[in-house]
Amino acid sequence: MRFAFYGRVSTEDQQDPVASLNWQLARAKALVGAHGDIVAEFFDIGQSRSIPWKRRPEATRLLAALREDERGFDAVVIGEPQRAFYGNQYGLTHPVFVHYGVTLWVAEVGGAIDPESEAHDLVMSVFGGMSKGERSRIKIRVRAAMAAQASVEGRFLGGRPPYGYVIADAGPHPNPAKAAEGKRLRRLEPDPATAPIVQRIFAEYIGGRGKYAIAEELTRDDIPCPSMNDQARNRHRTGRAWAKGAVGVILGNPRYTGRQVWNKQRKDEVLIDVEDVGLGHETKMRWNARDKWIFSEKIVHDPIIDVETFRQAQEIAAAKGAGRTTRERTRTQHRYVLRGLLHCGVCDRRMQGQKTREQLFYRCRYPTEYGLANKTEHPRNVYLAERDLLGPLDDWLSTCFAPHRINETIDALHQAQPDLDVDPGAAAAVRVIAECDQALQRHRSALEAGADAVLVTGWITETQARRAETQARATARPQQQRMTKIQIRDLVERLGDIRKVLTDADPDRKAEVYRQLQLHATYYPGKRLVRIETSLDAHSWGYGKCPRGDLNPHAR
């Protein structure tokens, strides 16, 4: 027999990919050595076991190979089932092997898995559960250990240092093995250049100045803001001026009192698609409530401010709005079509959504968030109504489908399609359907020539059934193939009036169209002008340069 090997290794805990491949491969060869040879290898490196097969590169390549008629192997052998399957992944994956007639071999069942055996199915399900449980136990142990290190030892557990501190050496690592490798602990030390700025911020805030006033004065005095002071870690920020938000973060950080703080954020695993659980989860960072933070039991690094100063700052911040009747704020999700696509032409920042008098606007309030100190000429508020932009934008898009430009647009759409490999199963189905059509023609010719009607009718029935079955499978199979120009033209004609289609489209679907177009809009408030750009990129499935790049959103 010819076998394909599959294995996986995660590098999160410094595993050696070469060593892991060798022992998993050796285990697989010991299982199948008396039955055949391993002729192909599929080995995922750096992929978590929680990631489904369809999102692992090598596992995806293996699943694609199953569909090929000339795949080159007859069975697949797994070196370690707990590394290959996690949770219910076996139940979602093994039916694919059965469908294509490829057996799956695992040492834990002594050979090939019998799809009809309840015992085999139970064993593999247990291994999936054990794999999930092992990962959960590791997470619990690691988090408990880190909490103890932060609380009892006050150890610095990594991450960027707060503004006002730098990372310094704290001696050899307490783990002898890691110390032998030269690894050392780290601690926070006050930065001579920025620690006095932190003290100044606290002093001025307690003295009665507001956050924005402090940010304005720091900017006026040419003191680099946190993102400018540490540009290597803040490449995504402009660093032009101090933001009142940065001042607020400094005022609320208890690390300045000399105590270590951990668990401000957590990692949540969120379903990628609630309608398709098989796609698995993605990790998102979320802020924890303050009562979930872990504080060190004692002072572990030099404080920049004393505890009393920090307490006074927190009391002032908590007293804001005291005496007023407040209600819990509720967040309403509005459907902004150009969310994340519209930029301010003055500061080049993304404009934010704002609903006013039941109308959707996009706004930029750069001066109210940053202490500019007249370093940038920027209006206090920049507003643009969504309705004033969508109409001209849809008008331009519809001109691409005007009679005198339809051929040019169809050519562009056809060329912009990414290069997709033809599905071998779909190609085989096309061949079978063509063979059935030829056979039916021969059967009809034989019937007209005087052949036995009962016999020929039976042939026709069998061929028609085979053709219908193949056609049904081909239709059910999800395919990604390039559309022909004729298919694109038919689709455009069926849509009808493109301008009306865009106007009546659901806001979420229209927003997705603009994202697929790689649309980039820039609003220049002084000229009351919006510049629209798109990019034709086959890999991103976009469109070409807009022939009419400048749009006046207020023109009628």
Side-chain angles (χ1 to χ4, degrees):
M1 293 182 65
R2 299 170 300 171
F3 289 89
F5 161 79
Y6 176 75
R8 184 201 61 83
V9 61
S10 174
T11 58
E12 291 184 356
D13 52 352
Q14 289 79 46
Q15 298 182 47
D16 181 0
V18 176
S20 183
L21 169 62
N22 289 338
W23 75 258
Q24 292 184 55
L25 189 58
R27 197 163 185 260
K29 289 181 178 179
L31 174 64
V32 303
H35 304 276
D37 299 319
I38 295 178
V39 298
E41 297 180 9
F42 301 85
F43 191 69
D44 276 308
I45 299 177
Q47 301 293 321
S48 172
R49 70 183 73 187
S50 64
I51 298 177
W53 275 51
K54 64 177 68 176
R55 289 171 52 205
R56 302 181 198 169
E58 289 297 296
T60 300
R61 194 165 67 90
L62 173 58
L63 293 176
L66 296 180
R67 300 196 299 263
E68 299 176 2
D69 295 332
E70 302 296 333
R71 66 176 70 94
F73 56 86
D74 311 303
V76 174
V77 56
I78 300 292
E80 171 62 44
Q82 287 177 268
R83 289 179 177 264
F85 300 112
Y86 172 89
N88 64 342
Q89 290 177 1
Y90 169 77
L92 298 174
T93 307
H94 188 241
V96 180
F97 286 75
V98 176
H99 176 77
Y100 291 108
V102 178
T103 56
L104 182 64
W105 288 55
V106 179
E108 280 67 19
V109 299
I113 295 177
D114 182 1
E116 303 297 329
S117 172
E118 294 184 2
H120 286 187
D121 186 69
L122 177 61
V123 169
M124 295 304 297
S125 299
V126 168
F127 274 109
M130 292 173 59
S131 178
K132 185 175 181 179
E134 178 183 356
R135 183 171 181 264
S136 299
R137 287 194 301 273
I138 292 174
K139 290 172 60 178
I140 293 173
R141 288 199 299 265
V142 169
R143 290 185 58 83
M146 295 180 71
Q149 290 171 350
S151 175
V152 180
E153 303 177 33
R155 186 183 300 185
F156 176 70
L157 299 176
R160 70 176 65 187
Y163 179 80
Y165 283 105
V166 293
I167 297 177
D169 182 78
H173 200 283
N175 187 316
K178 293 185 178 181
E181 297 175 358
K183 296 183 177 180
R184 305 180 68 82
L185 294 179
R186 297 289 185 266
R187 64 188 302 269
L188 297 177
E189 282 189 358
D191 182 5
T194 57
I197 307 302
V198 175
Q199 295 172 341
R200 170 180 168 177
I201 291 174
F202 274 90
E204 293 185 357
Y205 187 68
I206 293 175
R209 305 200 68 175
K211 299 175 185 177
Y212 183 82
I214 295 174
E216 181 79 11
E217 184 176 352
L218 293 173
T219 303
R220 184 181 298 110
D221 293 343
D222 291 325
I223 296 174
C225 63
S227 58
M228 177 61 71
N229 182 70
D230 191 0
Q231 290 182 311
R233 293 188 177 94
N234 295 277
R235 297 176 181 176
H236 59 295
R237 300 187 183 276
T238 62
R240 296 177 183 175
W242 278 81
K244 66 178 183 181
V247 175
V249 169
I250 291 174
L251 291 171
N253 193 341
R255 277 183 166 183
Y256 294 117
T257 63
R259 295 184 183 274
Q260 186 58 268
V261 182
W262 178 76
N263 200 40
K264 285 187 175 182
Q265 289 181 294
R266 69 183 187 276
K267 291 182 179 180
D268 284 348
E269 292 187 347
V270 183
L271 282 173
I272 294 177
D273 185 356
V274 295
E275 303 297 335
D276 186 0
V277 181
L279 287 177
H281 300 74
E282 61 180 346
T283 302
K284 291 189 176 181
M285 297 296 295
R286 303 279 176 81
W287 288 100
N288 283 325
R290 194 179 182 88
D291 59 353
K292 300 293 183 181
W293 295 4
I294 304 296
F295 294 83
S296 62
E297 298 175 355
K298 57 184 179 180
I299 294 177
V300 294
H301 54 257
D302 295 338
I304 294 179
I305 59 168
D306 56 56
V307 176
E308 179 61 23
T309 300
F310 183 79
R311 184 189 62 79
Q312 292 180 23
Q314 305 318 299
E315 289 180 352
I316 294 174
K320 297 298 182 182
R324 293 183 298 178
T325 302
T326 61
R327 60 182 177 86
E328 184 179 354
R329 295 182 61 184
T330 58
R331 296 179 62 89
T332 303
Q333 189 71 24
H334 300 299
R335 304 163 78 185
Y336 295 94
V337 176
L338 296 170
R339 182 188 299 273
L341 304 178
L342 184 61
H343 297 71
C344 175
V346 182
C347 63
D348 200 33
R349 296 170 73 241
R350 285 190 178 94
M351 299 180 69
Q352 302 171 335
Q354 170 70 29
K355 187 174 183 180
T356 303
R357 297 188 182 92
E358 301 304 320
Q359 294 186 26
L360 299 183
F361 288 82
Y362 297 91
R363 71 178 184 181
C364 180
R365 304 179 63 197
Y366 189 60
T368 62
E369 299 293 333
Y370 289 81
L372 299 179
N374 299 323
K375 291 184 177 292
T376 301
E377 294 295 334
H378 194 296
R380 183 175 181 83
N381 290 292
V382 174
Y383 278 91
L384 176 63
E386 184 178 83
R387 64 178 183 180
D388 292 336
L389 179 57
L390 292 185
L393 178 57
D394 292 343
D395 285 340
W396 169 73
L397 290 175
S398 62
T399 61
C400 296
F401 297 89
H404 67 285
R405 297 190 57 197
I406 185 65
N407 293 331
E408 175 187 350
T409 301
I410 290 176
D411 290 341
L413 289 172
H414 182 262
Q415 294 175 6
Q417 295 180 94
D419 294 329
L420 299 173
D421 296 330
V422 177
D423 186 351
V430 172
R431 291 196 299 270
V432 172
I433 292 175
E435 293 173 359
C436 291
D437 290 339
Q438 295 176 359
L440 288 172
Q441 186 62 36
R442 292 195 299 270
H443 297 337
R444 294 190 183 99
S445 299
L447 189 61
E448 294 174 355
D452 187 352
V454 177
L455 181 61
V456 174
T457 301
W459 292 346
I460 292 176
T461 302
E462 292 177 1
T463 305
Q464 288 177 334
R466 182 189 177 196
R467 188 186 189 283
E469 180 183 1
T470 304
Q471 182 67 47
R473 289 182 178 178
T475 303
R477 180 193 300 274
Q479 300 181 29
Q480 289 185 333
Q481 297 182 356
R482 290 174 59 90
M483 296 179 65
T484 65
K485 292 183 181 181
I486 296 177
Q487 291 174 324
I488 296 175
R489 184 180 294 276
D490 291 342
L491 177 61
V492 172
E493 291 177 353
R494 278 189 276 117
L495 287 174
D497 186 354
I498 299 298
R499 180 65 176 84
K500 186 176 185 304
V501 171
L502 290 171
T503 301
D504 299 339
D506 178 80
D508 292 334
R509 299 189 67 180
K510 183 184 287 191
E512 180 61 24
V513 169
Y514 291 157
R515 282 192 292 270
Q516 293 288 349
L517 290 172
Q518 301 181 73
L519 188 144
H520 185 282
T522 305
Y523 177 46
Y524 300 94
K527 302 178 181 179
R528 299 184 67 80
L529 188 73
V530 177
R531 179 175 180 82
I532 304 291
E533 296 179 87
T534 59
S535 176
L536 183 59
D537 185 352
H539 296 287
S540 300
W541 192 226
Y543 288 75
K545 280 290 182 181
C546 168
R548 219 178 71 196
D550 293 335
L551 295 179
N552 187 340
H554 304 286
R556 293 297 181 186

